[in-house]
Amino acid sequence: MAVSDLHKYPRPSVAVDVALLTVDEGRLKVALIRREGGDKGGELSLPGTFLHEGERLADAALRCLSDKAGVRGFHPRQLHVFDDPKRDDRGWVLSVAHVDVVRVEDLRKAIENGSLQLIDVELIGNLPYAHEEIVQKAVDAVRRNYLETPDPWGLIEQPFIMSQLRDLHESVLGRQLQRDTFRRQMEPMLQGTEETAVPPSVRVGGEARGRPARLYRRN
Amino acid sequence: MAVSDLHKYPRPSVAVDVALLTVDEGRLKVALIRREGGDKGGELSLPGTFLHEGERLADAALRCLSDKAGVRGFHPRQLHVFDDPKRDDRGWVLSVAHVDVVRVEDLRKAIENGSLQLIDVELIGNLPYAHEEIVQKAVDAVRRNYLETPDPWGLIEQPFIMSQLRDLHESVLGRQLQRDTFRRQMEPMLQGTEETAVPPSVRVGGEARGRPARLYRRN
DNA sequence: GAAATAGTGTCTGTAAGACACTATCGG
DNA sequence: CCGATAGTGTCTTACAGACACTATTTC
């Protein structure tokens, strides 16, 4: 095909939508923004943007997080392309869905100034532009990640103790895990800080009770 | 965002490339076509095409298989979007990679008239437009499919006996499987035709030797 | 000592790997 | 009977689930 053929056909607009997930109050949540203008104005949706000329998809995802949610510095991953011509009433738009997972602390400012709000992923109803499908795919993918690997998205502060890691995995998966089985599964994939151990002063209520735990780092 | 904003920015061309896999001579192979014209003329590559206005990605994948490879009637699945701006020297082109898996009989005509040729996936070298990455992702995805599920892409003729199914899985995975373990894993996911059983006349050399085997169907 | 959490031993059930035995065909 | 393939029994190993015991801390 000659170069000129590239321009014979109309081309679609390409959008990037990002399901930005985090763990807050022990639950997996997704960050939604309130849309401005247009006929979807005021509705909650995922942050998204149109791809600029020559821009990488991952860069567009980072840009829309920065511009629309005021957060930055993460690692979006592609999920799927949504291509239903009737999906977007503004015209012919392909949406490349992405997922990213970040610490809730990195979202605090944006939540406080109203740029975004967190919604429990189990309580997501219908969203504009079929965004609820993107959330579902994102949640499935991230939960699969957390089934076999210790904190693959780096949500936890290092070093950490096993119960902190287990709390995190339980929050992401939305169900309880067995204490002993979880340890035996994860320990070979962690670097044990043999030297150190601290009282679990990090625990709830400021109380520090119980035997001190071994500290670990990711490999 | 207003409708008019959609047209303010330049838009990329969107291509669809398909890794069409099949099993031939006991090996997993990918169908390649020989490119016509352009500076990549004569090189082998995956069949691909540009997305037409209002067209679904899956339909574009089917269209390019029909137009360029002369085969039709399958079920392409999305793999990944390749967005490196330097990937395609013809301009700004996003490629949505797809995978499909079909019976080699459905490709016979196209092979005979030279529309496409089959290459063992283990022998793929560099291809234009980074197509070897697409092949790798396609092979990984299909092999994952065949690890746990009996013939998920429907390559086998029904009804079939267990050794035919195992031969197929061994061809796709590119390694031997255990006879007894394979049966115990797959049998619960199949519908056993209790009534029927035929001599394995389907076997090599026209010879029909050994105990007749139970016939199965997919659920 | 009581309460709380960390770490580990161990029993049971399940499933894969490996091997071998029996079953049923053609010749 | 032999050769060949189908189907299954069983031993071993590994590991998840489940339970309980020991260990180390605060109060």
Side-chain angles (χ1 to χ4, degrees), chain A residues 163 179-180 183-184 209-211 213-214:
Chain A
S163 59
R179 198 167 59 96
D180 40 12
R183 165 185 295 275
R184 278 188 263 253
R209 282 184 298 192
R211 170 174 165 180
R214 183 173 304 160

PDB file of all heavy atoms in Angstrom, chain A residues 163 179-180 183-184 209-211 213-214, chain C residues 2-11:
ATOM      1  N   SER A 163       1.141  -9.468  57.723  1.00  0.00           N
ATOM      2  CA  SER A 163      -0.291  -9.179  57.907  1.00  0.00           C
ATOM      3  C   SER A 163      -0.704  -7.923  57.149  1.00  0.00           C
ATOM      4  O   SER A 163      -1.853  -7.814  56.712  1.00  0.00           O
ATOM      5  CB  SER A 163      -0.630  -9.041  59.379  1.00  0.00           C
ATOM      6  OG  SER A 163       0.134  -8.003  59.967  1.00  0.00           O
ATOM      7  N   ARG A 179      -4.523 -17.139  56.858  1.00  0.00           N
ATOM      8  CA  ARG A 179      -3.277 -16.590  57.363  1.00  0.00           C
ATOM      9  C   ARG A 179      -2.080 -17.470  57.010  1.00  0.00           C
ATOM     10  O   ARG A 179      -1.090 -17.012  56.434  1.00  0.00           O
ATOM     11  CB  ARG A 179      -3.389 -16.459  58.897  1.00  0.00           C
ATOM     12  CG  ARG A 179      -2.417 -15.559  59.561  1.00  0.00           C
ATOM     13  CD  ARG A 179      -2.834 -15.272  60.992  1.00  0.00           C
ATOM     14  NE  ARG A 179      -2.952 -16.479  61.799  1.00  0.00           N
ATOM     15  CZ  ARG A 179      -1.980 -16.940  62.585  1.00  0.00           C
ATOM     16  NH1 ARG A 179      -0.835 -16.314  62.650  1.00  0.00           N
ATOM     17  NH2 ARG A 179      -2.152 -18.033  63.279  1.00  0.00           N
ATOM     18  N   ASP A 180      -2.183 -18.770  57.317  1.00  0.00           N
ATOM     19  CA  ASP A 180      -1.036 -19.660  57.131  1.00  0.00           C
ATOM     20  C   ASP A 180      -0.781 -19.976  55.651  1.00  0.00           C
ATOM     21  O   ASP A 180       0.355 -19.940  55.194  1.00  0.00           O
ATOM     22  CB  ASP A 180      -1.206 -20.941  57.950  1.00  0.00           C
ATOM     23  CG  ASP A 180      -2.637 -21.456  57.910  1.00  0.00           C
ATOM     24  OD1 ASP A 180      -3.415 -20.953  57.077  1.00  0.00           O
ATOM     25  OD2 ASP A 180      -2.972 -22.343  58.692  1.00  0.00           O
ATOM     26  N   ARG A 183       0.802 -16.953  53.899  1.00  0.00           N
ATOM     27  CA  ARG A 183       2.232 -16.821  54.194  1.00  0.00           C
ATOM     28  C   ARG A 183       3.053 -17.816  53.404  1.00  0.00           C
ATOM     29  O   ARG A 183       4.051 -17.477  52.772  1.00  0.00           O
ATOM     30  CB  ARG A 183       2.484 -17.038  55.691  1.00  0.00           C
ATOM     31  CG  ARG A 183       3.959 -17.270  56.039  1.00  0.00           C
ATOM     32  CD  ARG A 183       4.162 -17.592  57.497  1.00  0.00           C
ATOM     33  NE  ARG A 183       3.798 -16.449  58.320  1.00  0.00           N
ATOM     34  CZ  ARG A 183       4.630 -15.448  58.594  1.00  0.00           C
ATOM     35  NH1 ARG A 183       5.854 -15.445  58.104  1.00  0.00           N
ATOM     36  NH2 ARG A 183       4.224 -14.445  59.346  1.00  0.00           N
ATOM     37  N   ARG A 184       2.624 -19.093  53.423  1.00  0.00           N
ATOM     38  CA  ARG A 184       3.428 -20.130  52.750  1.00  0.00           C
ATOM     39  C   ARG A 184       3.502 -19.886  51.251  1.00  0.00           C
ATOM     40  O   ARG A 184       4.482 -20.216  50.597  1.00  0.00           O
ATOM     41  CB  ARG A 184       2.844 -21.513  53.069  1.00  0.00           C
ATOM     42  CG  ARG A 184       3.317 -22.030  54.427  1.00  0.00           C
ATOM     43  CD  ARG A 184       2.889 -23.469  54.660  1.00  0.00           C
ATOM     44  NE  ARG A 184       1.669 -23.536  55.449  1.00  0.00           N
ATOM     45  CZ  ARG A 184       1.613 -23.913  56.724  1.00  0.00           C
ATOM     46  NH1 ARG A 184       2.720 -24.266  57.366  1.00  0.00           N
ATOM     47  NH2 ARG A 184       0.483 -23.947  57.378  1.00  0.00           N
ATOM     48  N   ARG A 209       0.332  -4.341  70.333  1.00  0.00           N
ATOM     49  CA  ARG A 209       0.282  -5.581  71.098  1.00  0.00           C
ATOM     50  C   ARG A 209       0.653  -6.763  70.233  1.00  0.00           C
ATOM     51  O   ARG A 209       0.524  -6.724  69.018  1.00  0.00           O
ATOM     52  CB  ARG A 209      -1.129  -5.785  71.665  1.00  0.00           C
ATOM     53  CG  ARG A 209      -1.364  -4.924  72.881  1.00  0.00           C
ATOM     54  CD  ARG A 209      -2.714  -5.221  73.476  1.00  0.00           C
ATOM     55  NE  ARG A 209      -3.792  -4.925  72.550  1.00  0.00           N
ATOM     56  CZ  ARG A 209      -5.075  -4.886  72.912  1.00  0.00           C
ATOM     57  NH1 ARG A 209      -5.415  -5.123  74.172  1.00  0.00           N
ATOM     58  NH2 ARG A 209      -5.997  -4.619  72.037  1.00  0.00           N
ATOM     59  N   GLY A 210       1.081  -7.825  70.861  1.00  0.00           N
ATOM     60  CA  GLY A 210       1.410  -9.043  70.135  1.00  0.00           C
ATOM     61  C   GLY A 210       2.875  -9.141  69.786  1.00  0.00           C
ATOM     62  O   GLY A 210       3.645  -8.176  69.895  1.00  0.00           O
ATOM     63  N   ARG A 211       3.251 -10.321  69.321  1.00  0.00           N
ATOM     64  CA  ARG A 211       4.655 -10.604  69.000  1.00  0.00           C
ATOM     65  C   ARG A 211       5.099  -9.783  67.783  1.00  0.00           C
ATOM     66  O   ARG A 211       4.366  -9.657  66.809  1.00  0.00           O
ATOM     67  CB  ARG A 211       4.753 -12.099  68.682  1.00  0.00           C
ATOM     68  CG  ARG A 211       6.074 -12.543  68.110  1.00  0.00           C
ATOM     69  CD  ARG A 211       6.053 -14.049  67.992  1.00  0.00           C
ATOM     70  NE  ARG A 211       7.112 -14.541  67.153  1.00  0.00           N
ATOM     71  CZ  ARG A 211       7.300 -15.831  66.905  1.00  0.00           C
ATOM     72  NH1 ARG A 211       6.478 -16.731  67.415  1.00  0.00           N
ATOM     73  NH2 ARG A 211       8.288 -16.230  66.143  1.00  0.00           N
ATOM     74  N   ALA A 213       6.778  -8.784  64.274  1.00  0.00           N
ATOM     75  CA  ALA A 213       6.741  -9.582  63.041  1.00  0.00           C
ATOM     76  C   ALA A 213       7.969  -9.320  62.191  1.00  0.00           C
ATOM     77  O   ALA A 213       8.574  -8.245  62.249  1.00  0.00           O
ATOM     78  CB  ALA A 213       5.484  -9.251  62.251  1.00  0.00           C
ATOM     79  N   ARG A 214       8.296 -10.310  61.378  1.00  0.00           N
ATOM     80  CA  ARG A 214       9.421 -10.156  60.454  1.00  0.00           C
ATOM     81  C   ARG A 214       9.054  -9.167  59.353  1.00  0.00           C
ATOM     82  O   ARG A 214       7.908  -9.106  58.900  1.00  0.00           O
ATOM     83  CB  ARG A 214       9.765 -11.508  59.835  1.00  0.00           C
ATOM     84  CG  ARG A 214      10.971 -11.441  58.904  1.00  0.00           C
ATOM     85  CD  ARG A 214      11.371 -12.823  58.451  1.00  0.00           C
ATOM     86  NE  ARG A 214      11.625 -13.687  59.596  1.00  0.00           N
ATOM     87  CZ  ARG A 214      11.620 -15.010  59.541  1.00  0.00           C
ATOM     88  NH1 ARG A 214      11.368 -15.629  58.415  1.00  0.00           N
ATOM     89  NH2 ARG A 214      11.865 -15.721  60.623  1.00  0.00           N
TER      90      ARG A 214
ATOM     91  P    DA C   2      -5.155 -16.724  83.006  1.00  0.00           P
ATOM     92  OP1  DA C   2      -6.430 -17.069  83.673  1.00  0.00           O
ATOM     93  OP2  DA C   2      -4.479 -17.695  82.131  1.00  0.00           O
ATOM     94  O5'  DA C   2      -5.386 -15.381  82.181  1.00  0.00           O
ATOM     95  C5'  DA C   2      -6.032 -14.274  82.809  1.00  0.00           C
ATOM     96  C4'  DA C   2      -6.285 -13.190  81.771  1.00  0.00           C
ATOM     97  O4'  DA C   2      -5.028 -12.545  81.440  1.00  0.00           O
ATOM     98  C3'  DA C   2      -6.872 -13.684  80.457  1.00  0.00           C
ATOM     99  O3'  DA C   2      -7.811 -12.724  79.986  1.00  0.00           O
ATOM    100  C2'  DA C   2      -5.669 -13.793  79.540  1.00  0.00           C
ATOM    101  C1'  DA C   2      -4.814 -12.626  80.032  1.00  0.00           C
ATOM    102  N9   DA C   2      -3.378 -12.813  79.821  1.00  0.00           N
ATOM    103  C8   DA C   2      -2.650 -13.946  80.062  1.00  0.00           C
ATOM    104  N7   DA C   2      -1.372 -13.816  79.791  1.00  0.00           N
ATOM    105  C5   DA C   2      -1.258 -12.512  79.333  1.00  0.00           C
ATOM    106  C6   DA C   2      -0.155 -11.764  78.884  1.00  0.00           C
ATOM    107  N6   DA C   2       1.080 -12.241  78.826  1.00  0.00           N
ATOM    108  N1   DA C   2      -0.393 -10.498  78.496  1.00  0.00           N
ATOM    109  C2   DA C   2      -1.638 -10.022  78.558  1.00  0.00           C
ATOM    110  N3   DA C   2      -2.754 -10.630  78.972  1.00  0.00           N
ATOM    111  C4   DA C   2      -2.487 -11.881  79.345  1.00  0.00           C
ATOM    112  P    DA C   3      -8.669 -13.060  78.622  1.00  0.00           P
ATOM    113  OP1  DA C   3     -10.047 -12.583  78.881  1.00  0.00           O
ATOM    114  OP2  DA C   3      -8.425 -14.456  78.224  1.00  0.00           O
ATOM    115  O5'  DA C   3      -8.018 -12.116  77.527  1.00  0.00           O
ATOM    116  C5'  DA C   3      -7.817 -10.740  77.797  1.00  0.00           C
ATOM    117  C4'  DA C   3      -7.057 -10.094  76.658  1.00  0.00           C
ATOM    118  O4'  DA C   3      -5.641 -10.414  76.765  1.00  0.00           O
ATOM    119  C3'  DA C   3      -7.495 -10.553  75.275  1.00  0.00           C
ATOM    120  O3'  DA C   3      -7.596  -9.424  74.418  1.00  0.00           O
ATOM    121  C2'  DA C   3      -6.383 -11.480  74.814  1.00  0.00           C
ATOM    122  C1'  DA C   3      -5.189 -10.844  75.483  1.00  0.00           C
ATOM    123  N9   DA C   3      -4.062 -11.755  75.698  1.00  0.00           N
ATOM    124  C8   DA C   3      -4.111 -13.047  76.135  1.00  0.00           C
ATOM    125  N7   DA C   3      -2.937 -13.615  76.238  1.00  0.00           N
ATOM    126  C5   DA C   3      -2.053 -12.621  75.845  1.00  0.00           C
ATOM    127  C6   DA C   3      -0.649 -12.592  75.725  1.00  0.00           C
ATOM    128  N6   DA C   3       0.136 -13.623  76.017  1.00  0.00           N
ATOM    129  N1   DA C   3      -0.086 -11.438  75.303  1.00  0.00           N
ATOM    130  C2   DA C   3      -0.875 -10.408  75.005  1.00  0.00           C
ATOM    131  N3   DA C   3      -2.208 -10.317  75.079  1.00  0.00           N
ATOM    132  C4   DA C   3      -2.735 -11.470  75.508  1.00  0.00           C
ATOM    133  P    DA C   4      -8.291  -9.580  72.910  1.00  0.00           P
ATOM    134  OP1  DA C   4      -9.134  -8.385  72.718  1.00  0.00           O
ATOM    135  OP2  DA C   4      -8.839 -10.944  72.774  1.00  0.00           O
ATOM    136  O5'  DA C   4      -7.042  -9.472  71.929  1.00  0.00           O
ATOM    137  C5'  DA C   4      -6.181  -8.346  72.008  1.00  0.00           C
ATOM    138  C4'  DA C   4      -4.922  -8.641  71.262  1.00  0.00           C
ATOM    139  O4'  DA C   4      -4.126  -9.574  72.009  1.00  0.00           O
ATOM    140  C3'  DA C   4      -5.141  -9.293  69.897  1.00  0.00           C
ATOM    141  O3'  DA C   4      -4.688  -8.431  68.865  1.00  0.00           O
ATOM    142  C2'  DA C   4      -4.336 -10.570  69.923  1.00  0.00           C
ATOM    143  C1'  DA C   4      -3.379 -10.325  71.080  1.00  0.00           C
ATOM    144  N9   DA C   4      -2.933 -11.558  71.705  1.00  0.00           N
ATOM    145  C8   DA C   4      -3.696 -12.581  72.194  1.00  0.00           C
ATOM    146  N7   DA C   4      -3.010 -13.585  72.688  1.00  0.00           N
ATOM    147  C5   DA C   4      -1.687 -13.194  72.494  1.00  0.00           C
ATOM    148  C6   DA C   4      -0.471 -13.813  72.801  1.00  0.00           C
ATOM    149  N6   DA C   4      -0.375 -15.020  73.375  1.00  0.00           N
ATOM    150  N1   DA C   4       0.661 -13.158  72.483  1.00  0.00           N
ATOM    151  C2   DA C   4       0.565 -11.967  71.900  1.00  0.00           C
ATOM    152  N3   DA C   4      -0.526 -11.272  71.565  1.00  0.00           N
ATOM    153  C4   DA C   4      -1.623 -11.950  71.894  1.00  0.00           C
ATOM    154  P    DT C   5      -5.154  -8.757  67.327  1.00  0.00           P
ATOM    155  OP1  DT C   5      -5.622  -7.487  66.767  1.00  0.00           O
ATOM    156  OP2  DT C   5      -6.000  -9.971  67.322  1.00  0.00           O
ATOM    157  O5'  DT C   5      -3.796  -9.153  66.596  1.00  0.00           O
ATOM    158  C5'  DT C   5      -2.655  -8.317  66.760  1.00  0.00           C
ATOM    159  C4'  DT C   5      -1.410  -9.137  66.605  1.00  0.00           C
ATOM    160  O4'  DT C   5      -1.361 -10.131  67.656  1.00  0.00           O
ATOM    161  C3'  DT C   5      -1.314  -9.929  65.290  1.00  0.00           C
ATOM    162  O3'  DT C   5      -0.153  -9.516  64.591  1.00  0.00           O
ATOM    163  C2'  DT C   5      -1.232 -11.381  65.720  1.00  0.00           C
ATOM    164  C1'  DT C   5      -0.694 -11.255  67.134  1.00  0.00           C
ATOM    165  N1   DT C   5      -1.006 -12.427  67.975  1.00  0.00           N
ATOM    166  C2   DT C   5       0.027 -13.119  68.538  1.00  0.00           C
ATOM    167  O2   DT C   5       1.211 -12.810  68.391  1.00  0.00           O
ATOM    168  N3   DT C   5      -0.340 -14.209  69.297  1.00  0.00           N
ATOM    169  C4   DT C   5      -1.622 -14.649  69.544  1.00  0.00           C
ATOM    170  O4   DT C   5      -1.829 -15.644  70.228  1.00  0.00           O
ATOM    171  C5   DT C   5      -2.670 -13.880  68.919  1.00  0.00           C
ATOM    172  C7   DT C   5      -4.108 -14.276  69.110  1.00  0.00           C
ATOM    173  C6   DT C   5      -2.315 -12.800  68.173  1.00  0.00           C
ATOM    174  P    DA C   6       0.270 -10.204  63.179  1.00  0.00           P
ATOM    175  OP1  DA C   6       0.922  -9.155  62.387  1.00  0.00           O
ATOM    176  OP2  DA C   6      -0.863 -10.963  62.626  1.00  0.00           O
ATOM    177  O5'  DA C   6       1.395 -11.241  63.643  1.00  0.00           O
ATOM    178  C5'  DA C   6       2.510 -10.739  64.365  1.00  0.00           C
ATOM    179  C4'  DA C   6       3.628 -11.766  64.412  1.00  0.00           C
ATOM    180  O4'  DA C   6       3.282 -12.804  65.371  1.00  0.00           O
ATOM    181  C3'  DA C   6       3.911 -12.483  63.108  1.00  0.00           C
ATOM    182  O3'  DA C   6       5.315 -12.626  62.975  1.00  0.00           O
ATOM    183  C2'  DA C   6       3.198 -13.819  63.255  1.00  0.00           C
ATOM    184  C1'  DA C   6       3.248 -14.069  64.750  1.00  0.00           C
ATOM    185  N9   DA C   6       2.086 -14.767  65.297  1.00  0.00           N
ATOM    186  C8   DA C   6       0.775 -14.410  65.154  1.00  0.00           C
ATOM    187  N7   DA C   6      -0.067 -15.217  65.780  1.00  0.00           N
ATOM    188  C5   DA C   6       0.760 -16.174  66.357  1.00  0.00           C
ATOM    189  C6   DA C   6       0.485 -17.309  67.154  1.00  0.00           C
ATOM    190  N6   DA C   6      -0.743 -17.681  67.497  1.00  0.00           N
ATOM    191  N1   DA C   6       1.539 -18.052  67.577  1.00  0.00           N
ATOM    192  C2   DA C   6       2.777 -17.661  67.224  1.00  0.00           C
ATOM    193  N3   DA C   6       3.157 -16.618  66.481  1.00  0.00           N
ATOM    194  C4   DA C   6       2.092 -15.907  66.077  1.00  0.00           C
ATOM    195  P    DG C   7       5.959 -13.258  61.640  1.00  0.00           P
ATOM    196  OP1  DG C   7       7.353 -12.783  61.531  1.00  0.00           O
ATOM    197  OP2  DG C   7       5.017 -13.063  60.522  1.00  0.00           O
ATOM    198  O5'  DG C   7       6.003 -14.808  61.979  1.00  0.00           O
ATOM    199  C5'  DG C   7       6.951 -15.266  62.938  1.00  0.00           C
ATOM    200  C4'  DG C   7       6.787 -16.753  63.128  1.00  0.00           C
ATOM    201  O4'  DG C   7       5.486 -17.011  63.705  1.00  0.00           O
ATOM    202  C3'  DG C   7       6.857 -17.586  61.847  1.00  0.00           C
ATOM    203  O3'  DG C   7       7.927 -18.499  61.978  1.00  0.00           O
ATOM    204  C2'  DG C   7       5.491 -18.270  61.770  1.00  0.00           C
ATOM    205  C1'  DG C   7       5.054 -18.268  63.223  1.00  0.00           C
ATOM    206  N9   DG C   7       3.626 -18.362  63.441  1.00  0.00           N
ATOM    207  C8   DG C   7       2.645 -17.534  62.932  1.00  0.00           C
ATOM    208  N7   DG C   7       1.434 -17.875  63.310  1.00  0.00           N
ATOM    209  C5   DG C   7       1.625 -19.000  64.110  1.00  0.00           C
ATOM    210  C6   DG C   7       0.680 -19.801  64.801  1.00  0.00           C
ATOM    211  O6   DG C   7      -0.538 -19.677  64.829  1.00  0.00           O
ATOM    212  N1   DG C   7       1.310 -20.837  65.501  1.00  0.00           N
ATOM    213  C2   DG C   7       2.663 -21.055  65.528  1.00  0.00           C
ATOM    214  N2   DG C   7       3.083 -22.087  66.255  1.00  0.00           N
ATOM    215  N3   DG C   7       3.562 -20.312  64.880  1.00  0.00           N
ATOM    216  C4   DG C   7       2.968 -19.307  64.203  1.00  0.00           C
ATOM    217  P    DT C   8       8.284 -19.505  60.791  1.00  0.00           P
ATOM    218  OP1  DT C   8       9.745 -19.679  60.835  1.00  0.00           O
ATOM    219  OP2  DT C   8       7.604 -19.104  59.553  1.00  0.00           O
ATOM    220  O5'  DT C   8       7.616 -20.866  61.313  1.00  0.00           O
ATOM    221  C5'  DT C   8       7.838 -21.253  62.649  1.00  0.00           C
ATOM    222  C4'  DT C   8       7.052 -22.513  62.976  1.00  0.00           C
ATOM    223  O4'  DT C   8       5.645 -22.191  63.148  1.00  0.00           O
ATOM    224  C3'  DT C   8       7.104 -23.601  61.910  1.00  0.00           C
ATOM    225  O3'  DT C   8       7.385 -24.827  62.550  1.00  0.00           O
ATOM    226  C2'  DT C   8       5.701 -23.596  61.308  1.00  0.00           C
ATOM    227  C1'  DT C   8       4.884 -23.189  62.516  1.00  0.00           C
ATOM    228  N1   DT C   8       3.567 -22.595  62.198  1.00  0.00           N
ATOM    229  C2   DT C   8       2.454 -23.139  62.785  1.00  0.00           C
ATOM    230  O2   DT C   8       2.492 -24.087  63.552  1.00  0.00           O
ATOM    231  N3   DT C   8       1.266 -22.521  62.438  1.00  0.00           N
ATOM    232  C4   DT C   8       1.106 -21.444  61.575  1.00  0.00           C
ATOM    233  O4   DT C   8       0.004 -20.991  61.347  1.00  0.00           O
ATOM    234  C5   DT C   8       2.323 -20.926  61.006  1.00  0.00           C
ATOM    235  C7   DT C   8       2.260 -19.765  60.087  1.00  0.00           C
ATOM    236  C6   DT C   8       3.477 -21.517  61.333  1.00  0.00           C
ATOM    237  P    DG C   9       7.920 -26.069  61.743  1.00  0.00           P
ATOM    238  OP1  DG C   9       9.329 -26.267  62.129  1.00  0.00           O
ATOM    239  OP2  DG C   9       7.565 -25.924  60.318  1.00  0.00           O
ATOM    240  O5'  DG C   9       7.043 -27.256  62.366  1.00  0.00           O
ATOM    241  C5'  DG C   9       6.721 -27.217  63.758  1.00  0.00           C
ATOM    242  C4'  DG C   9       5.592 -28.199  64.051  1.00  0.00           C
ATOM    243  O4'  DG C   9       4.315 -27.549  63.824  1.00  0.00           O
ATOM    244  C3'  DG C   9       5.594 -29.448  63.177  1.00  0.00           C
ATOM    245  O3'  DG C   9       5.218 -30.574  63.974  1.00  0.00           O
ATOM    246  C2'  DG C   9       4.545 -29.135  62.109  1.00  0.00           C
ATOM    247  C1'  DG C   9       3.556 -28.281  62.882  1.00  0.00           C
ATOM    248  N9   DG C   9       2.823 -27.303  62.080  1.00  0.00           N
ATOM    249  C8   DG C   9       3.360 -26.398  61.199  1.00  0.00           C
ATOM    250  N7   DG C   9       2.476 -25.630  60.633  1.00  0.00           N
ATOM    251  C5   DG C   9       1.270 -26.042  61.167  1.00  0.00           C
ATOM    252  C6   DG C   9      -0.046 -25.573  60.937  1.00  0.00           C
ATOM    253  O6   DG C   9      -0.413 -24.676  60.178  1.00  0.00           O
ATOM    254  N1   DG C   9      -0.982 -26.280  61.692  1.00  0.00           N
ATOM    255  C2   DG C   9      -0.684 -27.298  62.568  1.00  0.00           C
ATOM    256  N2   DG C   9      -1.708 -27.852  63.208  1.00  0.00           N
ATOM    257  N3   DG C   9       0.541 -27.746  62.798  1.00  0.00           N
ATOM    258  C4   DG C   9       1.469 -27.070  62.067  1.00  0.00           C
ATOM    259  P    DT C  10       5.336 -32.036  63.411  1.00  0.00           P
ATOM    260  OP1  DT C  10       5.641 -32.906  64.572  1.00  0.00           O
ATOM    261  OP2  DT C  10       6.210 -32.059  62.224  1.00  0.00           O
ATOM    262  O5'  DT C  10       3.837 -32.346  62.956  1.00  0.00           O
ATOM    263  C5'  DT C  10       2.769 -32.010  63.820  1.00  0.00           C
ATOM    264  C4'  DT C  10       1.437 -32.262  63.130  1.00  0.00           C
ATOM    265  O4'  DT C  10       0.978 -31.059  62.448  1.00  0.00           O
ATOM    266  C3'  DT C  10       1.467 -33.353  62.061  1.00  0.00           C
ATOM    267  O3'  DT C  10       0.241 -34.066  62.115  1.00  0.00           O
ATOM    268  C2'  DT C  10       1.519 -32.541  60.774  1.00  0.00           C
ATOM    269  C1'  DT C  10       0.531 -31.451  61.177  1.00  0.00           C
ATOM    270  N1   DT C  10       0.483 -30.260  60.293  1.00  0.00           N
ATOM    271  C2   DT C  10      -0.735 -29.653  60.097  1.00  0.00           C
ATOM    272  O2   DT C  10      -1.763 -30.037  60.613  1.00  0.00           O
ATOM    273  N3   DT C  10      -0.691 -28.568  59.252  1.00  0.00           N
ATOM    274  C4   DT C  10       0.418 -28.051  58.607  1.00  0.00           C
ATOM    275  O4   DT C  10       0.334 -27.082  57.882  1.00  0.00           O
ATOM    276  C5   DT C  10       1.649 -28.748  58.866  1.00  0.00           C
ATOM    277  C7   DT C  10       2.905 -28.272  58.218  1.00  0.00           C
ATOM    278  C6   DT C  10       1.617 -29.805  59.679  1.00  0.00           C
ATOM    279  P    DC C  11       0.244 -35.676  62.015  1.00  0.00           P
ATOM    280  OP1  DC C  11       0.538 -36.214  63.341  1.00  0.00           O
ATOM    281  OP2  DC C  11       1.082 -36.065  60.857  1.00  0.00           O
ATOM    282  O5'  DC C  11      -1.285 -35.985  61.657  1.00  0.00           O
ATOM    283  C5'  DC C  11      -2.313 -35.304  62.381  1.00  0.00           C
ATOM    284  C4'  DC C  11      -3.479 -34.982  61.459  1.00  0.00           C
ATOM    285  O4'  DC C  11      -3.235 -33.738  60.765  1.00  0.00           O
ATOM    286  C3'  DC C  11      -3.715 -36.056  60.381  1.00  0.00           C
ATOM    287  O3'  DC C  11      -5.077 -36.439  60.367  1.00  0.00           O
ATOM    288  C2'  DC C  11      -3.293 -35.364  59.096  1.00  0.00           C
ATOM    289  C1'  DC C  11      -3.576 -33.898  59.405  1.00  0.00           C
ATOM    290  N1   DC C  11      -2.754 -32.943  58.604  1.00  0.00           N
ATOM    291  C2   DC C  11      -3.362 -31.877  57.957  1.00  0.00           C
ATOM    292  O2   DC C  11      -4.587 -31.719  58.069  1.00  0.00           O
ATOM    293  N3   DC C  11      -2.606 -31.028  57.230  1.00  0.00           N
ATOM    294  C4   DC C  11      -1.287 -31.223  57.128  1.00  0.00           C
ATOM    295  N4   DC C  11      -0.587 -30.366  56.407  1.00  0.00           N
ATOM    296  C5   DC C  11      -0.642 -32.309  57.788  1.00  0.00           C
ATOM    297  C6   DC C  11      -1.398 -33.142  58.497  1.00  0.00           C
TER     298       DC C  11
END
